[in-house]
Amino acid sequence: MDSGSHSGSPLSSSRSSDSEPGQPQADGLVAPVPLLIRTPGISSPVKAILVAAHKPSTRKVYRSKWKRFTIWAEHRRLDPFTAPISSILDFLTSLFHQGASSSTVKVQLAAISYYHVGQESGPIITSKLCKTFLKGTFLLRPPVKEVVPPWDLSLVLQALTGPPFEPAATVDLKFLSWKTAFLVAITSAKRVSELQALCVKPPYLVFHPDRVYLRINPSFLPKVSSEANINQSINLPVFFPNFHNKGEYKLHSLDVHRQLRFYIHRTAGHRQSDQLFISFAKSNFGKPVSKVSLSRWISSCILLAYQSSGRPAPQGVHAHSTRAVATSAAFQARVPTG
């Protein structure tokens, strides 16, 4: 059951919806004050700009990580803001021995450094000791990616050409939504957060005879917030528009241009948001879908494709895997991805 809600929409007008430093949070606690705005003499307007250097999602992660460290420190009667590097490394080592990846340890250190008073030479994360420690965790536990994708793209695409995903004009809105999200994900190779930030109205979505043009809403900050990524556009070409037989028509049913037209038409009367993907759940019908629900749509689409094909469902299917599968398929087909 989809449980998407407008609270997760990236199209809201504010990019800083989280609690301001020093102000009460939703849990009643006071948000910790970052090191960079504790410098004497800095005005409130300047502080606001300094805080905006980190996205709200990053600050939320940092607060969560910082809370974990403060609990550890207080149990050892340490002030988390002034704890020595040796103690901080003890904490990070305990996480590493519990199975944390090198990247998780790095994010935890970044969070601590964000609030910690630092050293005379600068933030603790820039110290030689911390840099060496991070290199050690990386070499001891290097990230190893899967060589073979956990699911078969050709099998899934074949399944999408028939029931329960077709005919697009009459299938359950749930299956129409799943297929649309999957086709946009696999043809664009974008992150779920970027898919969630797509908008249904021009100039962010325009149908051309040979392609569909999509652009991520500029109010959304991508994971890598460069000028190019903020202003990125997506052009998805039509697929088998001039079909001559049943086999070619089945291939045309995988056309993302066609699929988006059906999806937009069938959701038009229920929309409560300009976000492209909206919830079909009764409790949130028509509201923007959350990233968690959108991820679930894509993974559920893959699993249902296997089920409808009479094949056992693969293990470890995640929406993020569509990016790797899409780029791998493009490489094998010698399709440019730039």
Side-chain angles (χ1 to χ4, degrees), residues 132-147:
T132 304
F133 180 84
L134 291 177
K135 183 177 181 180
T137 63
F138 180 88
L139 295 177
L140 287 171
R141 193 170 294 157
V144 179
K145 295 184 179 181
E146 294 178 334
V147 178

Side-chain angles (χ1 to χ4, degrees), residues 239-243 247-255 258:
F239 188 62
F240 269 91
N242 302 315
F243 49 88
E248 290 182 352
Y249 177 76
K250 290 187 71 174
L251 291 174
H252 178 62
S253 70
L254 298 174
D255 179 12
R258 164 191 180 270

Side-chain angles (χ1 to χ4, degrees), residues 197-199 203-205 213-217 230-234:
L198 293 174
C199 184
Y204 303 108
L205 188 151
Y213 170 88
L214 299 164
R215 180 170 172 180
I216 294 173
N217 192 293
I230 291 173
N231 295 289
Q232 65 183 303
S233 59
I234 307 167

Side-chain angles (χ1 to χ4, degrees), residues 162-174:
F165 301 103
E166 288 291 331
T170 57
V171 295
D172 189 293
L173 187 57
K174 176 174 72 173

Side-chain angles (χ1 to χ4, degrees), residues 205-228:
L205 188 151
V206 180
F207 289 102
H208 297 281
D210 61 338
R211 70 191 190 283
V212 57
Y213 170 88
L214 299 164
R215 180 170 172 180
I216 294 173
N217 192 293
S219 67
F220 167 76
L221 287 177
K223 183 176 182 180
V224 181
S225 299
S226 65
E227 182 178 352

Side-chain angles (χ1 to χ4, degrees), residues 121-171:
S121 58
I124 57 170
I125 197 170
T126 62
S127 71
K128 184 176 181 180
L129 197 60
C130 285
K131 288 182 177 180
T132 304
F133 180 84
L134 291 177
K135 183 177 181 180
T137 63
F138 180 88
L139 295 177
L140 287 171
R141 193 170 294 157
V144 179
K145 295 184 179 181
E146 294 178 334
V147 178
V148 180
W151 50 274
D152 185 347
L153 175 59
S154 60
L155 183 149
V156 174
L157 292 176
Q158 178 63 34
L160 293 182
T161 63
F165 301 103
E166 288 291 331
T170 57
V171 295

Side-chain angles (χ1 to χ4, degrees), residues 267-278:
T267 57
H270 310 291
R271 288 193 167 273
Q272 300 182 45
S273 168
D274 288 342
Q275 185 172 306
L276 174 59
F277 293 110
I278 58 172

